[in-house]
Amino acid sequence: MDCIPIGGKKRTPYLVISTVLSLVPWLLLGLDSTSRSSSLYLMIFLTVQNLGSAMADVVVDAMIAEAVRLEKASFAGDLQSVSWFAMAVGGICGSLLGGYALTNLKIETIFLLFTVLPALQLLSCALVEEIPASNEPLPELLDSNGFEEKSNDEYRDKIKSNTRRRKGKKKGRKGTNNVKSVTQKKKSKSLASQLFQSLKAATFELCRAFKQPIILRPMAWFFIAHITVPNLSTVMFYYQTEVLQLDASFLGTARVVGWFGLMVGTFIYNRYLTNMTLRKSLLFAHIGLSITILLDMVLVSRANVIYRVSDKTMVLFGSALADAINQLKFMPFLILSGRLCPPGIEGTLFALFMSINNLGNTVGSFMGAGLASVLGISSGSFENMFLGLAIQVFCTYIPVLFLFLIPKEATGVSAL
């Protein structure tokens, strides 16, 4: 995407492709009953749909990173806030409508409804304004130590010079066809050479950006923060449904409240905490996360019943608080990464960061599953649930020991 423009553009064509990949599987599942009854077709279609969603997410992240870098620093937080607010509003609407649809509509109708938003997204692609990549300078390899970007003026002069040469070659009618053939071959070779140089330059820029302490060290910290804290959310879900007898519709409502918490966290960060150092904000975030786990311990111990606090109130409050704190933890690095991202590899760098983040989440989930297995926690057996949560609280403070990886004076708007 960053290195291979389509029709002279890097963003809009890929946004269209990703939207089509997200739309077509739902349409086929809604119209074809055979595909809905086949596990193979379901797996293929859902894989394609998720691929399209992931692609669209990367393209949008790249566009936001470009806008953040081009605008003033104070605008960066506003742009990220708008993005996350929009996602939270979509999450709230999706959670509310999803619960209603699951109860009142047929599955094929639900699949067809899933095509509405991708269709709107496809139409919105026509509104995206993008400067053609052909007007931008291409990085050229100078030596083994680095790359240099030519200025726009130099690049235009080069194009004009090449145009003059081609015109000179075309003078005279004799041998015109041969000249055209040679010119086309040169163009083909030139395009392949430019593509190779662009890929090479992007790889170099990605490695150089990734080696920057302001990017590498926070990425390493986030990965450590995920793998050192076992994720017991799946076990807690079974506890809530089997022991507390909370139904699926209520847990959907809790998800809505969680989205509201995300919106509140975004607002608080952008309004009050943008100038706080990353070390301090991450420290406070992990203290807050430990408090949310303590709330789960209160729920498991049934201490809330003594004080006449309902289980539903505890779950709703805990969900909102956890999502708000996680957003306070995530926002500053997203903004900082967008500002520091080198031109031309915005999508690649953000995809790399999210891949590392998702890998950390996956490892944390395996750690949680391992802890549950060791303690004998499973569906129908929750005797050691309190102990498991206590261990999780202790592990929440392990990442605090690695805060030295975060540059001391770095904030969400400054890389000092």
Side-chain angles (χ1 to χ4, degrees):
M1 179 184 72
D2 286 327
C3 306
I4 309 176
I6 298 177
K9 296 184 178 181
K10 294 182 179 180
R11 308 296 179 216
T12 311
Y14 288 98
L15 196 58
V16 172
I17 292 171
S18 62
T19 305
V20 171
L21 290 177
S22 297
L23 188 153
V24 173
W26 294 129
L27 186 62
L28 293 176
L29 287 172
L31 297 176
D32 185 13
S33 59
T34 304
S35 61
R36 293 195 299 271
S37 59
S38 170
S39 57
L40 177 61
Y41 284 144
L42 279 172
M43 181 183 69
I44 293 173
F45 287 152
L46 293 179
T47 299
V48 171
Q49 195 279 327
N50 279 282
L51 174 63
S53 298
M55 241 178 105
D57 189 52
V58 170
V59 175
V60 172
D61 283 338
M63 295 170 71
I64 291 176
E66 287 176 338
V68 167
R69 192 183 62 251
L70 293 174
E71 297 291 340
K72 58 184 181 180
S74 59
F75 177 72
D78 295 331
L79 185 58
Q80 287 287 356
S81 296
V82 170
S83 172
W84 284 93
F85 262 98
M87 187 174 70
V89 171
I92 291 170
C93 295
S95 298
L96 293 174
L97 296 176
Y100 172 81
L102 191 61
T103 306
N104 298 281
L105 300 178
K106 295 181 179 179
I107 188 65
E108 58 267 26
T109 305
I110 294 176
F111 284 144
L112 290 175
L113 284 175
F114 284 165
T115 65
V116 173
L117 290 179
L120 293 175
Q121 182 177 320
L122 188 61
L123 293 176
S124 70
C125 292
L127 304 176
V128 178
E129 296 182 0
E130 182 180 357
I131 300 174
S134 58
N135 292 335
E136 299 174 357
L138 291 172
E140 291 191 358
L141 182 62
L142 293 180
D143 51 41
S144 59
N145 295 323
F147 290 89
E148 178 186 83
E149 278 194 356
K150 291 183 176 292
S151 66
N152 284 326
D153 292 337
E154 290 174 339
Y155 185 63
R156 292 192 191 98
D157 291 342
K158 184 177 179 180
I159 292 177
K160 289 179 180 178
S161 176
N162 289 339
T163 303
R164 291 192 197 101
R165 291 195 198 103
R166 286 197 298 270
K167 287 182 178 178
K169 288 181 181 179
K170 290 180 180 178
K171 285 183 178 180
R173 294 179 180 178
K174 195 174 182 178
T176 300
N177 293 334
N178 292 334
V179 171
K180 285 184 178 180
S181 177
V182 171
T183 303
Q184 288 175 354
K185 288 181 180 180
K186 286 185 177 181
K187 283 183 178 180
S188 178
K189 290 181 180 179
S190 177
L191 180 62
S193 176
Q194 287 179 358
L195 178 59
F196 175 75
Q197 293 294 345
S198 181
L199 287 170
K200 206 168 185 180
T203 303
F204 175 83
E205 289 295 335
L206 179 64
C207 293
R208 188 169 65 178
F210 192 70
K211 289 178 181 178
Q212 291 182 42
I214 192 63
I215 293 179
L216 175 60
R217 293 169 67 178
M219 275 190 181
W221 185 88
F222 270 92
F223 184 74
I224 292 172
H226 283 306
I227 66 175
T228 55
V229 182
N231 188 346
L232 295 176
S233 59
T234 301
V235 180
M236 196 65 195
F237 171 81
Y238 284 115
Y239 179 84
Q240 291 172 350
T241 54
E242 294 181 12
V243 178
L244 303 183
Q245 299 295 311
L246 300 178
D247 56 28
S249 61
F250 171 76
L251 294 177
T253 304
R255 184 62 259 171
V256 172
V257 174
W259 282 113
F260 274 113
L262 187 147
M263 294 174 67
V264 171
T266 301
F267 174 79
I268 291 175
Y269 175 80
N270 194 46
R271 182 75 175 177
Y272 303 107
L273 305 178
T274 52
N275 293 318
M276 180 181 289
T277 63
L278 285 177
R279 286 189 182 186
K280 187 179 292 186
S281 63
L282 293 174
L283 173 61
F284 289 155
H286 271 256
I287 293 174
L289 289 175
S290 68
I291 292 174
T292 63
I293 301 172
L294 289 174
L295 291 176
D296 287 339
M297 293 177 68
V298 170
L299 193 63
V300 170
S301 67
R302 315 303 295 135
N304 60 300
V305 178
I306 300 175
Y307 296 98
R308 297 182 180 179
V309 179
S310 68
D311 295 335
K312 290 185 177 181
T313 301
M314 293 289 294
V315 171
L316 289 175
F317 181 73
S319 178
L321 184 62
D323 281 349
I325 293 172
N326 276 314
Q327 188 65 1
L328 292 175
K329 175 181 173 181
F330 208 48
M331 277 288 288
F333 186 61
L334 283 177
I335 296 172
L336 189 61
S337 296
R339 290 187 60 247
L340 295 175
C341 186
I345 60 167
E346 296 87 352
T348 307
L349 184 64
F350 264 85
L352 177 63
F353 170 61
M354 294 309 298
S355 297
I356 292 174
N357 192 61
N358 291 334
L359 176 61
N361 271 323
T362 302
V363 175
S365 297
F366 277 113
M367 295 290 288
L371 176 62
S373 178
V374 169
L375 297 178
I377 305 172
S378 62
S379 177
S381 178
F382 301 99
E383 291 80 7
N384 291 325
M385 188 70 187
F386 187 87
L387 177 59
L389 291 172
I391 294 173
Q392 190 180 21
V393 170
F394 172 79
C395 292
T396 302
Y397 288 96
I398 294 178
V400 174
L401 301 176
F402 293 90
L403 281 176
F404 65 87
L405 291 173
I406 308 296
K408 189 174 182 180
E409 301 300 327
T411 68
V413 295
S414 173
L416 295 176

